Amino acid sequence: GQNIDQPTEMTATEGAIVQINCTYQTSGFNGLFWYQQHAGEAPTFLSYNVLDGLEEKGRFSSFLSRSKGYSYLLLKELQMKDSASYLCAVRGLRNNDMRFGAGTRLTVKP
Amino acid sequence: SQTIHQWPATLVQPVGSPLSLECTVEGTSNPNLYWYRQAAGRGLQLLFYSVGIGQISSEVPQNLSASRPQDRQFILSSKKLLLSDSGFYLCACPIQGAYGYTFGSGTRLTVV
């Protein structure tokens, strides 16, 4: 089975940096993904890690440690539009099916 | 690039009524397709996935079923809805040539 844990809610200030953590336990691992989901909308793909280390994409970075079953999403220079839920997901080895955490609701305040 | 169409966007159905949600994919062929459900304030739960026409794998035993009558069509059905079937239903497929999934815009189902 799979367990994917992330904090339920976080609050940060516009212009600041925030780190959203995700820990996972899985029987098969084929990549870790982060998605952004605005209220009432479908998730959109943000980042992907399959090897240990940091992947940077503009204001967003994602880190993975496979031995620790740990990832984080780092958001820099926060903007009000970054207020959303951030979903951590693990892809398994069977048919590339993806399992999601419950999501972290980030509120960015002025 | 592929596009996923889902309809309807919103649906209110009485308990015990049937359900049929349709998902169609454009811009790709023979994709893996997935149905997810997101209950209010919760994460996405994988319900069904399909690797090809007529091939369905169920992840969670429940009163829902899925079918794939055509390569780019994936249907979610129920004969009798329960209150617990309320949620946001999302169809997804892998992003062609890249990582991650593309999601349809979803159907918000409220069972009353």
Side-chain angles (χ1 to χ4, degrees):
Chain A
Q2 291 177 319
N3 289 323
I4 302 172
D5 294 309
Q6 48 182 132
T8 304
E9 293 191 28
M10 297 184 72
T11 302
T13 305
E14 191 176 15
I17 300 173
V18 70
Q19 177 174 313
I20 303 174
N21 295 325
C22 171
T23 57
Y24 65 90
Q25 295 173 308
T26 179
S27 54
F29 180 83
N30 192 22
L32 187 134
F33 298 76
W34 285 94
Y35 289 80
Q36 181 189 61
Q37 185 179 25
H38 284 101
E41 299 181 8
T44 55
F45 169 72
L46 285 179
S47 69
Y48 164 70
N49 296 72
V50 67
L51 300 176
D52 291 352
L54 189 68
E55 293 285 340
E56 296 185 79
K57 190 188 290 186
R59 293 190 299 115
F60 294 1
S61 303
S62 57
F63 171 83
L64 174 67
S65 169
R66 288 171 296 169
S67 62
K68 295 182 180 178
Y70 168 69
S71 173
Y72 67 73
L73 179 70
L74 194 71
L75 291 77
K76 303 175 186 176
E77 301 170 18
L78 281 172
Q79 302 174 9
M80 298 300 291
K81 67 178 182 179
D82 296 330
S83 291
S85 287
Y86 291 86
L87 311 179
C88 174
V90 174
R91 186 169 66 185
L93 296 174
R94 183 184 62 169
N95 295 311
N96 288 325
D97 59 314
M98 205 170 302
R99 310 300 170 119
F100 288 79
T104 299
R105 185 182 303 174
L106 173 67
T107 302
V108 180
K109 295 186 175 179
Chain B
S1 62
Q2 68 257 51
T3 305
I4 299 181
H5 299 281
Q6 278 189 253
W7 64 91
T10 306
L11 192 60
V12 180
Q13 291 284 100
V15 169
S17 63
L19 174 74
S20 180
L21 300 181
E22 188 161 344
C23 163
T24 59
V25 183
E26 292 181 357
T28 185
S29 59
N30 196 31
N32 286 1
L33 294 173
Y34 306 86
W35 275 113
Y36 284 88
R37 177 173 63 200
Q38 187 175 35
R42 302 186 66 178
L44 277 69
Q45 179 187 31
L46 179 63
L47 301 176
F48 300 95
Y49 67 89
S50 171
V51 299
I53 296 173
Q55 301 180 64
I56 306 295
S57 295
S58 173
E59 290 295 307
V60 182
Q62 56 207 331
N63 68 319
L64 299 173
S65 62
S67 62
R68 188 164 176 181
Q70 300 180 41
D71 180 42
R72 287 176 251 182
Q73 185 183 32
F74 201 23
I75 298 172
L76 182 71
S77 303
S78 174
K79 292 182 179 178
K80 286 186 177 182
L81 284 169
L82 305 173
L83 287 175
S84 57
D85 292 324
S86 294
F88 191 36
Y89 287 82
L90 292 156
C91 181
C93 75
I95 300 173
Q96 196 171 28
Y99 305 110
Y101 284 178
T102 292
F103 286 87
S105 54
T107 295
R108 190 164 304 280
L109 171 67
T110 304
V111 182
V112 295

